[in-house]
């Protein structure tokens, strides 16, 4: 079963509504070793108003995260060189990136896998295949939560 990506129903309306606004787009770092999925998810998230940078694996994701300081990281778990758990541990240990929300988007969907992800510090866990609209909703939720936390801390 594969994940299908319909065109975003609200992207045209959002683009028209946002023409006069200059609010910065939330920055998403998408880390996955599967090129087709990376391309499709990136396009879908961009249609929904996010600025998306991609990385092929956790090692490249770590480099991108340090350079970009993303608002949210979406990462696969099973990848070469550095897996999602390794990336998550690096992010949580970094002073600048430690509070960045991390969403696992992975084929490892058993209950024990999800529990392990949450125990390691993931903010959300979405098993593949997934509904793209659900992914967008969850990303919006973590972005809003992060914005509230930053506003309260200011």
């Amino acid at each position: 079963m594969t994940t299908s990506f319909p065109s975003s129903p609200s992207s045209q309306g959002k683009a028209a509504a946002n023409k006069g606004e200059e609010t910065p787009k939330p920055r998403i770092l998408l880390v996955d070793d599967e090129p087709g999925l990376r391309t499709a998810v990136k396009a879908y998230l961009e249609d929904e108003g996010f600025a998306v940078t991609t990385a092929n694996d956790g090692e490249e994701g770590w480099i991108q995260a340090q350079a970009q300081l993303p608002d949210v990281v979406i990462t696969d778990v099973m990848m070469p060189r550095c897996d999602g758990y390794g990336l998550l541990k690096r992010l949580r240990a970094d002073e600048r990136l430690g509070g960045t929300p991390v969403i696992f988007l992975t084929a490892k969907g058993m209950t024990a896998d999800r529990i392990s992800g949450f125990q390691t510090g993931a903010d959300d866990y979405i098993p593949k295949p997934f509904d793209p609209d659900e992914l967008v909703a969850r990303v919006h939720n973590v972005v809003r939560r992060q914005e509230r936390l930053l506003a309260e801390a200011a």
Side-chain angles (χ1 to χ4, degrees), residues 7-19 47-48:
S7 61
S8 169
S10 58
S11 58
Q12 289 180 342
K14 286 181 185 173
N18 289 334
K19 280 188 178 177
D47 283 349
E48 290 294 324

Side-chain angles (χ1 to χ4, degrees), residues 1-2 4 6 15-16 25-26 36 41 64 71 74 79-80 82 87 89 93 95 100 110 115 142-143 150 152-153:
M1 190 167 166
T2 59
S4 62
K25 295 179 179 182
V41 171
Q64 289 285 351
D71 297 308
I74 301 170
M79 297 178 291
C82 176
L87 175 59
K89 287 177 185 172
E95 184 177 305
T100 304
M110 301 299 293
I115 290 169
V142 296
V143 166
L150 292 174
E152 288 172 7

